[in-house]
Amino acid sequence: MTLATSRAPTDVGRSGPRLALLAFTQLIVALDYNIVYVALPDIGTALGFSARSVQWVVSAYAIGLGGLLLGGRAVDKLGARRTFMLGLALYGVASLAGGLAPGSGVLIAARAVQGVGGALLTPATLALIYRGFEEGPARNRALGSWGMAGSAGLAAGSLLGGVLTSALGWEWVFFVNVPLAGGAVLAAPRLLPSDGRPASGLRGFDVPGALLATAGSTLVVFGLASGPEAGWGSLRGAGSLVAGLALLGLLVLVEARGRDPLIPLRLVRRRGPATTMVVIAVFQGTLGGAYYVLTTYLQPVLGYSALEAGLTFLPLTLVCMAAALKAAPVMLGRWGIRTTLSVGMLGAAAGIALLTAGMPAGGGFWTLMPGSLVWGFFGGVAFVALFAAAGAGVAPEAQGVASGLASTAKEVGGAMGLAVFVAVATASSDLLGGLHAAGWAAAAATALGGLAALALEPNRTTEGITS
């Protein structure tokens, strides 16, 4: 394992259509994320979930994403395009199964398989961006377009989820993914560069590391998701969490001795990547928690329909789109990653705080507007800056595993945040009071993430790590 300078990509003639496909894929993933949140009350009623157990519709997806590190290494070993297409195919098939689910168990299983598809798809998409666009302004613009597509997916998910749930039923929030994923799979061979023949294939693949990483991260997510419902002292809660952390500790020992490790430890020992992973986890954790708080406030508390709730999310996500596409690349170019990320996180914290303050018993769309606009703008900036930081200085041949690490931090952080904020929100018999407590906690955690971002080096763009 040696240090190497990050190289500029070759074959950029079709970069526009290629970026469009990668951005469209991010739109699909984000669409599904927000559609599910808006449809949760209807899903819970139809399939018999309790107020706490309905989070499994979200958490099961995160558990399936326990293989993100494996997916990242598959990108480096087998090729980004192959991994991308396989992930999309799994995503589409699992979405079909979710829409056809006759009960809660089948739906949870389908969401877990969707997560497995995401474990392959997300690192592949990020690696294709990192490899296809030179670090600096070109990559910042590409990540801005990618982030804007994700915001568009959130906006479309809020609105489309409300329309589909109201008009056709909750099943269609899953069915809608099937043609979208299928179209992306068909376009991939034409628009993405060929992987060629794998240099080593599965030969020399770190099987012990892959098993430990997948089992450990899955158990951690399972423990976090189970804790609020089963109790933190239960085998499902604390037991799974402790077992998962033990396996991840063993993973570090195995990786330190491996000849071709799943995770190059020099990558995670550096201050920059380690800080980035922490801030990504915080960002996604508070994002999921705040979305849960806002959805619960709009529907169970205020009695909004799914469509009305979706429309309320629209200003937030439209502003997020504009910030990701226009503001974030400019800020990254002028201020660098560290300052842009810290400002984005601190601004997002202020937005969540304003949103929480705008949730009185008789509130609604207009009382939520100031917080929605502030959170949307700075959240869009922070999202792009986070993934610019994740790929900064990493050599092309190690960008799959870097993407896997970033995606793992994102999803484990999301599961952790959801578990914590659901527990806070439901701890009180006063639902609105519990939602306020969860909202203020999310704002405080986001602000701490913004301060943690200051630990990044001012200009971390020169050296990368090969595998």
Side-chain angles (χ1 to χ4, degrees), residues 68 72 122-128 130 387 390 398-408:
L68 274 164
T122 303
T125 302
L126 282 170
L128 285 162
Y130 293 152
F387 287 95
Q399 282 167 347
V401 72
S403 301
L405 285 166
S407 302
T408 300

Side-chain angles (χ1 to χ4, degrees), residues 302-390:
L302 297 185
Y304 278 29
S305 68
L307 178 58
E308 289 170 328
L311 288 170
T312 304
F313 274 96
L314 199 55
L316 185 158
T317 44
L318 289 175
V319 170
C320 189
M321 286 170 59
L325 182 64
K326 297 295 185 182
V330 173
M331 293 168 70
L332 285 166
R334 290 182 180 176
W335 296 348
I337 290 173
R338 183 178 71 171
T339 301
T340 302
L341 179 54
S342 183
V343 169
M345 291 290 289
L346 291 171
I352 295 172
L354 281 172
L355 199 67
T356 304
M359 295 194 312
F365 182 85
W366 294 109
T367 63
L368 296 169
M369 183 64 72
S372 295
L373 297 178
V374 174
W375 184 27
F377 179 85
F378 287 102
V381 170
F383 184 81
V384 175
L386 278 168
F387 287 95

Side-chain angles (χ1 to χ4, degrees), residues 91-443:
Y91 208 86
V93 170
S95 294
L96 179 62
L100 296 172
S104 58
V106 175
L107 179 59
I108 288 172
R111 288 287 287 165
V113 175
Q114 243 185 352
V116 173
L120 299 171
L121 180 60
T122 303
T125 302
L126 282 170
L128 285 162
I129 290 176
Y130 293 152
R131 293 174 183 176
F133 297 88
E134 184 176 3
E135 189 172 332
R139 186 181 294 175
N140 292 341
R141 286 192 295 270
L143 285 169
S145 298
W146 179 75
M148 183 274 294
S151 300
L154 292 175
S158 301
L159 185 57
L160 188 59
V163 171
L164 291 174
T165 303
S166 298
L168 299 174
W170 64 266
E171 297 90 344
W172 283 89
V173 305
F174 297 104
F175 289 151
V176 71
N177 290 324
V178 179
L180 299 179
V185 168
L186 293 175
R190 288 185 160 192
L191 298 180
L192 300 180
S194 174
D195 294 320
R197 187 173 181 178
S200 58
L202 292 176
R203 188 169 33 123
F205 195 84
D206 182 12
V207 175
L211 293 174
L212 286 170
T214 301
S217 54
T218 298
L219 283 170
V220 167
V221 173
F222 180 79
L224 290 169
S226 300
E229 184 178 17
W232 290 107
S234 68
L235 184 62
R236 285 173 56 195
S240 296
L241 191 57
V242 169
L245 291 173
L247 289 178
L248 292 177
L250 182 58
L251 171 66
V252 174
L253 297 177
V254 170
E255 298 302 276
R257 299 185 179 187
R259 295 179 59 186
D260 189 12
L262 179 75
I263 308 168
L265 292 184
R266 290 187 69 179
L267 183 64
V268 295
R269 284 173 181 160
R270 295 169 69 210
R271 185 178 72 184
T275 300
T276 300
M277 301 308 119
V278 170
V279 181
I280 287 175
V282 170
F283 177 85
Q284 190 66 20
T286 57
L287 175 70
Y291 263 98
Y292 171 83
V293 167
L294 183 54
T295 299
T296 306
Y297 173 70
L298 290 171
Q299 292 177 277
V301 174
L302 297 185
Y304 278 29
S305 68
L307 178 58
E308 289 170 328
L311 288 170
T312 304
F313 274 96
L314 199 55
L316 185 158
T317 44
L318 289 175
V319 170
C320 189
M321 286 170 59
L325 182 64
K326 297 295 185 182
V330 173
M331 293 168 70
L332 285 166
R334 290 182 180 176
W335 296 348
I337 290 173
R338 183 178 71 171
T339 301
T340 302
L341 179 54
S342 183
V343 169
M345 291 290 289
L346 291 171
I352 295 172
L354 281 172
L355 199 67
T356 304
M359 295 194 312
F365 182 85
W366 294 109
T367 63
L368 296 169
M369 183 64 72
S372 295
L373 297 178
V374 174
W375 184 27
F377 179 85
F378 287 102
V381 170
F383 184 81
V384 175
L386 278 168
F387 287 95
V394 180
E397 58 268 32
Q399 282 167 347
V401 72
S403 301
L405 285 166
S407 302
T408 300
K410 175 175 172 285
E411 299 306 332
V412 172
M416 182 183 299
L418 186 61
V420 169
F421 296 123
V422 167
V424 172
T426 57
S428 170
S429 57
D430 175 15
L431 178 57
L432 183 57
L435 293 176
H436 279 133
W440 292 119

